[in-house]
Short mmCIF file of all heavy atoms in Angstrom, two decimals:
data_model
loop_
_atom_site.label_atom_id
_atom_site.label_comp_id
_atom_site.label_asym_id
_atom_site.label_seq_id
_atom_site.Cartn_x
_atom_site.Cartn_y
_atom_site.Cartn_z
N GLN C 1 10.67 5.09 4.41
CA GLN C 1 11.91 5.86 4.54
C GLN C 1 13.10 4.96 4.85
O GLN C 1 14.22 5.21 4.39
CB GLN C 1 11.75 6.93 5.62
CG GLN C 1 10.88 8.10 5.19
CD GLN C 1 10.65 9.11 6.28
OE1 GLN C 1 10.69 8.77 7.46
NE2 GLN C 1 10.39 10.35 5.91
N ASN C 2 12.87 3.88 5.62
CA ASN C 2 13.94 2.91 5.84
C ASN C 2 14.38 2.26 4.54
O ASN C 2 15.58 2.07 4.28
CB ASN C 2 13.48 1.84 6.84
CG ASN C 2 13.32 2.37 8.24
OD1 ASN C 2 13.92 3.39 8.60
ND2 ASN C 2 12.52 1.70 9.05
N ASP C 3 13.38 1.91 3.69
CA ASP C 3 13.71 1.34 2.39
C ASP C 3 14.45 2.35 1.52
O ASP C 3 15.38 2.00 0.79
CB ASP C 3 12.43 0.89 1.67
CG ASP C 3 11.87 -0.40 2.24
OD1 ASP C 3 12.59 -1.08 3.00
OD2 ASP C 3 10.71 -0.74 1.93
N ALA C 4 14.05 3.63 1.60
CA ALA C 4 14.73 4.66 0.83
C ALA C 4 16.19 4.79 1.26
O ALA C 4 17.08 5.03 0.43
CB ALA C 4 14.00 5.98 0.97
N SER C 5 16.46 4.63 2.56
CA SER C 5 17.84 4.66 3.04
C SER C 5 18.64 3.50 2.47
O SER C 5 19.82 3.66 2.12
CB SER C 5 17.87 4.62 4.57
OG SER C 5 17.25 5.77 5.12
N ASP C 6 18.00 2.33 2.36
CA ASP C 6 18.68 1.18 1.75
C ASP C 6 18.98 1.43 0.27
O ASP C 6 19.99 0.97 -0.25
CB ASP C 6 17.83 -0.08 1.91
CG ASP C 6 17.85 -0.62 3.34
OD1 ASP C 6 18.69 -0.15 4.14
OD2 ASP C 6 17.03 -1.51 3.65
N VAL C 7 18.08 2.15 -0.41
CA VAL C 7 18.33 2.51 -1.81
C VAL C 7 19.54 3.42 -1.89
O VAL C 7 20.44 3.25 -2.74
CB VAL C 7 17.09 3.19 -2.43
CG1 VAL C 7 17.41 3.73 -3.83
CG2 VAL C 7 15.93 2.21 -2.52
N ASP C 8 19.62 4.40 -1.00
CA ASP C 8 20.72 5.36 -1.02
C ASP C 8 22.07 4.69 -0.79
O ASP C 8 23.09 5.14 -1.34
CB ASP C 8 20.50 6.44 0.04
CG ASP C 8 19.31 7.34 -0.27
OD1 ASP C 8 18.89 7.38 -1.44
OD2 ASP C 8 18.80 7.98 0.67
N THR C 9 22.09 3.64 0.00
CA THR C 9 23.34 2.94 0.29
C THR C 9 23.61 1.78 -0.66
O THR C 9 24.60 1.06 -0.48
CB THR C 9 23.34 2.43 1.74
OG1 THR C 9 22.21 1.55 1.94
CG2 THR C 9 23.25 3.59 2.72
N GLY C 10 22.73 1.59 -1.64
CA GLY C 10 22.94 0.54 -2.62
C GLY C 10 22.50 -0.84 -2.20
O GLY C 10 22.71 -1.81 -2.93
N LYS C 11 21.86 -0.94 -1.03
CA LYS C 11 21.42 -2.26 -0.55
C LYS C 11 20.15 -2.73 -1.24
O LYS C 11 19.93 -3.93 -1.38
CB LYS C 11 21.19 -2.21 0.96
CG LYS C 11 22.43 -1.90 1.78
CD LYS C 11 22.10 -1.80 3.26
CE LYS C 11 23.31 -1.42 4.09
NZ LYS C 11 22.97 -1.27 5.53
N LEU C 12 19.29 -1.81 -1.63
CA LEU C 12 18.01 -2.14 -2.27
C LEU C 12 18.05 -1.62 -3.70
O LEU C 12 18.31 -0.42 -3.92
CB LEU C 12 16.85 -1.52 -1.49
CG LEU C 12 15.44 -1.81 -1.99
CD1 LEU C 12 15.15 -3.30 -2.01
CD2 LEU C 12 14.40 -1.08 -1.12
N ILE C 13 17.76 -2.49 -4.64
CA ILE C 13 17.94 -2.13 -6.06
C ILE C 13 16.62 -1.98 -6.79
O ILE C 13 16.46 -1.08 -7.63
CB ILE C 13 18.81 -3.20 -6.75
CG1 ILE C 13 20.20 -3.25 -6.07
CG2 ILE C 13 18.95 -2.93 -8.25
CD1 ILE C 13 21.05 -4.42 -6.51
N ALA C 14 15.65 -2.84 -6.51
CA ALA C 14 14.37 -2.79 -7.24
C ALA C 14 13.23 -3.23 -6.35
O ALA C 14 13.38 -4.16 -5.55
CB ALA C 14 14.43 -3.67 -8.48
N VAL C 15 12.07 -2.55 -6.49
CA VAL C 15 10.85 -2.92 -5.79
C VAL C 15 9.68 -2.66 -6.73
O VAL C 15 9.56 -1.57 -7.30
CB VAL C 15 10.62 -2.11 -4.50
CG1 VAL C 15 9.30 -2.52 -3.84
CG2 VAL C 15 11.78 -2.29 -3.53
N SER C 16 8.83 -3.67 -6.93
CA SER C 16 7.61 -3.48 -7.71
C SER C 16 6.54 -4.42 -7.19
O SER C 16 6.82 -5.33 -6.39
CB SER C 16 7.87 -3.74 -9.20
OG SER C 16 8.29 -5.09 -9.41
N TYR C 17 5.29 -4.21 -7.65
CA TYR C 17 4.16 -5.00 -7.18
C TYR C 17 3.34 -5.48 -8.37
O TYR C 17 3.27 -4.82 -9.42
CB TYR C 17 3.26 -4.16 -6.25
CG TYR C 17 3.95 -3.76 -4.96
CD1 TYR C 17 4.73 -2.61 -4.90
CD2 TYR C 17 3.81 -4.52 -3.81
CE1 TYR C 17 5.36 -2.24 -3.73
CE2 TYR C 17 4.43 -4.16 -2.63
CZ TYR C 17 5.22 -3.01 -2.60
OH TYR C 17 5.85 -2.65 -1.43
N SER C 18 2.70 -6.62 -8.20
CA SER C 18 1.82 -7.15 -9.25
C SER C 18 0.69 -7.95 -8.61
O SER C 18 0.70 -8.21 -7.40
CB SER C 18 2.61 -8.03 -10.21
OG SER C 18 3.07 -9.21 -9.57
N ASP C 19 -0.29 -8.33 -9.44
CA ASP C 19 -1.40 -9.19 -9.00
C ASP C 19 -2.11 -8.62 -7.76
O ASP C 19 -2.38 -9.33 -6.79
CB ASP C 19 -0.92 -10.61 -8.71
CG ASP C 19 -0.27 -11.25 -9.92
OD1 ASP C 19 -0.87 -11.17 -11.01
OD2 ASP C 19 0.83 -11.79 -9.79
N ILE C 20 -2.41 -7.33 -7.82
CA ILE C 20 -3.08 -6.66 -6.70
C ILE C 20 -4.57 -6.97 -6.76
O ILE C 20 -5.24 -6.68 -7.75
CB ILE C 20 -2.84 -5.14 -6.75
CG1 ILE C 20 -1.34 -4.84 -6.69
CG2 ILE C 20 -3.59 -4.44 -5.62
CD1 ILE C 20 -0.99 -3.42 -7.08
N LYS C 21 -5.08 -7.58 -5.72
CA LYS C 21 -6.50 -7.92 -5.64
C LYS C 21 -7.08 -7.36 -4.34
O LYS C 21 -6.48 -7.49 -3.28
CB LYS C 21 -6.71 -9.43 -5.71
CG LYS C 21 -6.27 -10.06 -7.03
CD LYS C 21 -6.53 -11.56 -7.03
CE LYS C 21 -6.19 -12.19 -8.38
NZ LYS C 21 -4.75 -12.02 -8.73
N VAL C 22 -8.25 -6.75 -4.45
CA VAL C 22 -8.88 -6.09 -3.30
C VAL C 22 -10.29 -6.64 -3.12
O VAL C 22 -11.06 -6.73 -4.07
CB VAL C 22 -8.94 -4.57 -3.50
CG1 VAL C 22 -9.54 -3.90 -2.27
CG2 VAL C 22 -7.56 -3.99 -3.81
N GLU C 23 -10.62 -6.99 -1.88
CA GLU C 23 -11.97 -7.45 -1.55
C GLU C 23 -12.54 -6.55 -0.46
O GLU C 23 -11.92 -6.37 0.60
CB GLU C 23 -11.93 -8.90 -1.06
CG GLU C 23 -13.31 -9.45 -0.72
CD GLU C 23 -13.28 -10.90 -0.29
OE1 GLU C 23 -12.24 -11.55 -0.48
OE2 GLU C 23 -14.30 -11.37 0.25
N VAL C 24 -13.70 -5.99 -0.71
CA VAL C 24 -14.37 -5.13 0.27
C VAL C 24 -15.05 -6.02 1.31
O VAL C 24 -15.95 -6.80 0.98
CB VAL C 24 -15.38 -4.20 -0.41
CG1 VAL C 24 -16.17 -3.42 0.64
CG2 VAL C 24 -14.68 -3.26 -1.37
N ASP C 25 -14.60 -5.91 2.55
CA ASP C 25 -15.19 -6.69 3.64
C ASP C 25 -16.41 -6.01 4.25
O ASP C 25 -17.38 -6.67 4.61
CB ASP C 25 -14.14 -6.93 4.74
CG ASP C 25 -12.92 -7.69 4.23
OD1 ASP C 25 -13.10 -8.59 3.39
OD2 ASP C 25 -11.80 -7.37 4.66
N GLU C 26 -16.35 -4.69 4.38
CA GLU C 26 -17.45 -3.95 5.02
C GLU C 26 -17.42 -2.50 4.55
O GLU C 26 -16.36 -1.86 4.55
CB GLU C 26 -17.32 -4.00 6.54
CG GLU C 26 -18.46 -3.33 7.28
CD GLU C 26 -18.29 -3.38 8.79
OE1 GLU C 26 -17.32 -4.03 9.27
OE2 GLU C 26 -19.13 -2.78 9.49
N TRP C 27 -18.57 -1.97 4.16
CA TRP C 27 -18.70 -0.57 3.77
C TRP C 27 -19.69 0.10 4.71
O TRP C 27 -20.82 -0.36 4.89
CB TRP C 27 -19.17 -0.48 2.31
CG TRP C 27 -19.72 0.85 1.89
CD1 TRP C 27 -20.99 1.10 1.42
CD2 TRP C 27 -19.04 2.12 1.86
NE1 TRP C 27 -21.14 2.43 1.11
CE2 TRP C 27 -19.96 3.09 1.37
CE3 TRP C 27 -17.76 2.53 2.20
CZ2 TRP C 27 -19.62 4.43 1.22
CZ3 TRP C 27 -17.42 3.88 2.05
CH2 TRP C 27 -18.34 4.80 1.56
N GLN C 28 -19.25 1.18 5.35
CA GLN C 28 -20.08 1.92 6.29
C GLN C 28 -20.31 3.32 5.72
O GLN C 28 -19.50 4.23 5.94
CB GLN C 28 -19.40 2.00 7.66
CG GLN C 28 -19.11 0.64 8.28
CD GLN C 28 -18.23 0.75 9.53
OE1 GLN C 28 -17.69 1.80 9.84
NE2 GLN C 28 -18.10 -0.35 10.26
N PRO C 29 -21.40 3.53 4.98
CA PRO C 29 -21.62 4.85 4.35
C PRO C 29 -22.00 5.90 5.37
O PRO C 29 -22.59 5.62 6.42
CB PRO C 29 -22.76 4.58 3.38
CG PRO C 29 -23.49 3.41 3.96
CD PRO C 29 -22.46 2.57 4.65
N ARG C 30 -21.62 7.14 5.06
CA ARG C 30 -22.03 8.30 5.86
C ARG C 30 -22.72 9.29 4.93
O ARG C 30 -22.90 9.04 3.74
CB ARG C 30 -20.82 8.94 6.54
CG ARG C 30 -20.16 8.07 7.60
CD ARG C 30 -19.24 8.90 8.50
NE ARG C 30 -18.18 9.53 7.75
CZ ARG C 30 -17.01 8.97 7.50
NH1 ARG C 30 -16.75 7.74 7.92
NH2 ARG C 30 -16.08 9.63 6.82
N GLU C 31 -23.07 10.43 5.48
CA GLU C 31 -23.76 11.45 4.71
C GLU C 31 -22.83 12.03 3.65
O GLU C 31 -21.62 11.96 3.75
CB GLU C 31 -24.28 12.56 5.63
CG GLU C 31 -23.21 13.44 6.26
CD GLU C 31 -22.46 12.79 7.40
OE1 GLU C 31 -22.87 11.68 7.82
OE2 GLU C 31 -21.47 13.39 7.86
N ASN C 32 -23.45 12.58 2.61
CA ASN C 32 -22.71 13.28 1.55
C ASN C 32 -21.73 12.40 0.79
O ASN C 32 -20.73 12.88 0.26
CB ASN C 32 -21.96 14.49 2.12
CG ASN C 32 -22.89 15.48 2.77
OD1 ASN C 32 -24.03 15.66 2.33
ND2 ASN C 32 -22.45 16.11 3.84
N GLY C 33 -21.97 11.10 0.79
CA GLY C 33 -21.12 10.21 0.01
C GLY C 33 -19.87 9.75 0.72
O GLY C 33 -19.08 8.99 0.16
#
């Protein structure tokens, strides 16, 4: 919401993401999936 306020006032113009990589460190399963 702070970033959205910056967009409204013209301070923030563009935001995007790339090269997203995820590594599972620990999985703790429970019942029913």
